């Protein structure tokens, strides 16, 4: 079962250690939303956040993806609840549909709730993870064994969401 997106770091601002809080509008939830759920703004004629799903065309809808910062349960009222804005350079850890050794900038697509995959129709973001990269030691200094060049297989990956897909892009002026 998918465990939701978790903020890792920001590639542009290394001092950023927490996600950017904001408020997002939700309708009365028919489906429970949990902390870390990847959201799209398509509810009620594109004015309310709902869980991201497979029919969401990022290019047609102009993005509007965010992350739930609180649980919104069935029976809760419609209104504004905390979300985390995905900002440029943010790396979020998410589940992969199938564990893999994915290279930098490999495209990632929606697979299932809070789960991404390496093939599909609408690109959500790209791999921006360094945890599966084999760091080579300095043979000339410490006689380190050869780490090789093969990326390790992982089941959760760091993803940077495309700028055109994120809700925060609405607040960036030219």
């Amino acid at each position: 079962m998918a465990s939701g997106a978790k903020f890792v770091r920001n590639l542009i601002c290394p001092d950023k250690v927490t996600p950017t809080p904001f408020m997002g509008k939700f309708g009365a939830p028919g489906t429970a939303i949990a902390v870390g759920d990847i959201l799209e703004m398509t509810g009620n004629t594109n004015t309310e956040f709902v869980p991201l799903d497979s029919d969401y065309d990022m290019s047609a809808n102009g993005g509007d993806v965010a992350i739930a910062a609180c649980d919104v349960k069935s029976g809760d009222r419609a209104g504004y609840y905390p979300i985390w804005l995905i900002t440029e350079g943010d790396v979020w850890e998410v589940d992969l549909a199938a564990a893999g050794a994915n290279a930098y900038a490999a495209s990632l697509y929606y697979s299932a709730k809070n789960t991404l995959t390496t093939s599909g129709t609408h690109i959500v973001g790209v791999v921006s993870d360094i945890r599966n990269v084999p760091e080579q030691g300095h043979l000339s200094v410490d006689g380190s064994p050869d780490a090789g060049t093969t990326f390790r297989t992982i089941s959760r990956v760091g993803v940077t969401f495309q700028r055109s897909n994120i809700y925060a892009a609405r607040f960036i002026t030219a």
Side-chain angles (χ1 to χ4, degrees), residues 89-126:
D90 280 357
V91 178
W92 293 82
E93 184 183 76
V94 298
D95 288 330
L96 285 171
N102 300 297
Y104 292 134
S107 296
L108 295 170
Y109 305 81
Y110 176 87
S111 174
K113 183 177 180 178
N114 298 326
T115 304
L116 301 179
T117 187
T118 55
S119 63
T121 306
H122 307 295
I123 296 173
V124 174
V126 296

Side-chain angles (χ1 to χ4, degrees), residues 20-24 41 49 64-66 83 85-87 163 166-174:
T20 304
F22 205 71
M23 298 297 284
M41 186 189 281
F49 283 103
D64 291 343
V65 174
I83 62 171
L85 293 178
I86 300 167
T87 59
R163 183 178 183 186
I166 59 176
Y167 182 59
R170 288 181 173 224
F171 308 105
I172 300 170
T173 59

